[in-house]
C-alpha cells in the first residue's frame, strides 16, 4: 500500500507490505529495501472486469508467496540495475 504526499502521486510518503503490514524503509521518497510491486487491470474474460488491483509485498512475503507456486519463477541475474 502506497501513500503519497499529494493527490497527483508525485512523491512517495509511506509504503507498507499489503500482506503483513510491515512499513518499508524510505528516505526522501527512495526505497531502502527490496519490494515486489504488483499491478493488473482485469479484462473482460475475468470475474473482475475492468477492475485495477495494485499491491506491494516486502521481500519476506514475496518469498512466502512464490514458495506456494507449482511452477517456480524464472530467475536470472542482472549485471547492473538501471
Amino acid at each position: 500500500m502506497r501513500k503519497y504526499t499529494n493527490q497527483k502521486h508525485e512523491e512517495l510518503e509511506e509504503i507498507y507490505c499489503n500482506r503483513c503490514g510491515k512499513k518499508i524503509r524510505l528516505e526522501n521518497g527512495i526505497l531502502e529495501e527490496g519490494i515486489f510491486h504488483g499491478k493488473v487491470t482485469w479484462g473482460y474474460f475475468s470475474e473482475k472486469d475492468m477492475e485495477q488491483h495494485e499491491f506491494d509485498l516486502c521481500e519476506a512475503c514475496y518469498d512466502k508467496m512464490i514458495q506456494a507456486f507449482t511452477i517456480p519463477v524464472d530467475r536470472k541475474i542482472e549485471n547492473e540495475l538501471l
Side-chain angles (χ1 to χ4, degrees), residues 16-31:
Y16 296 88
C17 175
N18 283 78
R19 185 175 182 271
C20 71
K22 173 186 172 183
K23 186 174 183 177
I24 307 297
R25 289 190 317 264
L26 277 176
E27 178 94 22
N28 297 322
I30 298 170
L31 288 167

Side-chain angles (χ1 to χ4, degrees), residues 29-73:
I30 298 170
L31 288 167
E32 291 198 332
E33 61 184 288
I35 64 156
F36 173 82
H37 180 73
K39 183 176 180 179
V40 63
T41 302
W42 294 94
Y44 291 117
F45 300 103
S46 74
E47 299 294 320
K48 301 167 192 66
D49 292 356
M50 305 311 293
E51 285 183 21
Q52 186 176 82
H53 293 194
E54 190 169 359
F55 64 96
D56 295 290
L57 296 176
C58 68
E59 191 169 358
C61 288
Y62 171 83
D63 289 341
K64 289 175 188 172
M65 178 182 73
I66 67 169
Q67 285 175 356
F69 289 1
T70 300
I71 301 169
V73 299

Side-chain angles (χ1 to χ4, degrees), residues 3-15:
K3 292 184 180 180
Y4 294 90
T5 56
N6 60 40
Q7 300 240 340
K8 294 181 181 180
H9 293 211
E10 292 172 344
E11 187 177 335
L12 195 57
E13 183 178 357
E14 293 180 326
I15 188 166

